[in-house]
Every structure is written in C-alpha cells, then in structure tokens.
Amino acid sequence: MIIAKPCVTMKGIVIGAYSWDRKIKVDLTGTAQCLKEKGYVIKKLIPGMMLILEMEGYEVSVYPSGKIIIKLLEDSKKGEEMARTIYDCAGILEVIS
C-alpha cells in the first residue's frame, strides 16, 4: 500500500510504503544506481541513511524505511506516481501494490 499525504512541517508530500507480508527495507545504493540509469540526478547518497535525488524538477529524499519526501510538490497523485518509479527501482513495488 502506498499512502501520499501533505507534509505538516513544510511544503511538500510525504509518501509511505506499507506491506502486511514483509518489512519494507530499501537498499539505497542499489536504488540510486537504478534511478541514475533511468536518467535521474543523484545529489547525495548516504548508504543506510538517506538518498537525495532530483526528479521531475523536485528534490526527493528517500529513506531505508520506504518513506519518501518530495519537497515543494503539492499534488499527492503526482507524488504517488513518482514514488512508484522509486519503489520499482528499489524492488518493492510488487510487495506494496
């Protein structure tokens, strides 16, 4: 399950990935490599902590828990679409869909 909602502390969208079947764990290094191959700009990667990339003109932070924050985006539906691309690269899209 993917839940996208407005962030309460800043302008942006917070997206969470949830599964009843298994614990969500994102390999940030592998995800970053996949996203880079798809043409996205990786701004910073701290393995095991955080991945920051530029995606469709927005700064996106990805965490090992599957949490994604898209700064300045206000459209939850657009945020969910962007998250699906990230979750696909992380190899967890089929688990949360």
Side-chain angles (χ1 to χ4, degrees):
M1 162 181 356
I2 299 173
I3 298 176
K5 61 185 179 178
C7 183
V8 295
T9 59
M10 66 178 197
K11 190 174 178 183
I13 299 291
V14 177
I15 301 150
Y18 306 94
S19 170
W20 294 107
D21 300 327
R22 74 175 209 206
K23 183 178 177 181
I24 301 299
K25 180 77 172 157
V26 175
D27 170 17
L28 298 178
T29 304
T31 302
Q33 183 62 37
C34 175
L35 290 166
K36 187 175 182 178
E37 289 169 5
K38 290 184 180 237
Y40 297 106
V41 176
I42 305 303
K43 292 177 135 185
K44 181 173 256 185
L45 171 62
I46 305 170
M49 289 183 64
M50 180 189 328
L51 165 64
I52 301 173
L53 67 137
E54 188 173 315
M55 191 175 204
E56 300 184 34
Y58 296 98
E59 185 176 284
V60 181
S61 300
V62 183
Y63 299 90
S65 65
K67 178 179 172 182
I68 297 173
I69 299 174
I70 306 173
K71 293 181 183 174
L72 302 178
L73 181 66
E74 294 184 37
D75 182 353
S76 294
K77 195 155 194 88
K78 175 76 171 165
E80 187 176 327
E81 290 171 16
M82 292 168 66
R84 286 185 182 281
T85 300
I86 294 167
Y87 293 144
D88 185 38
C89 273
I92 62 169
L93 186 58
E94 65 282 350
V95 174
I96 59 174
S97 291

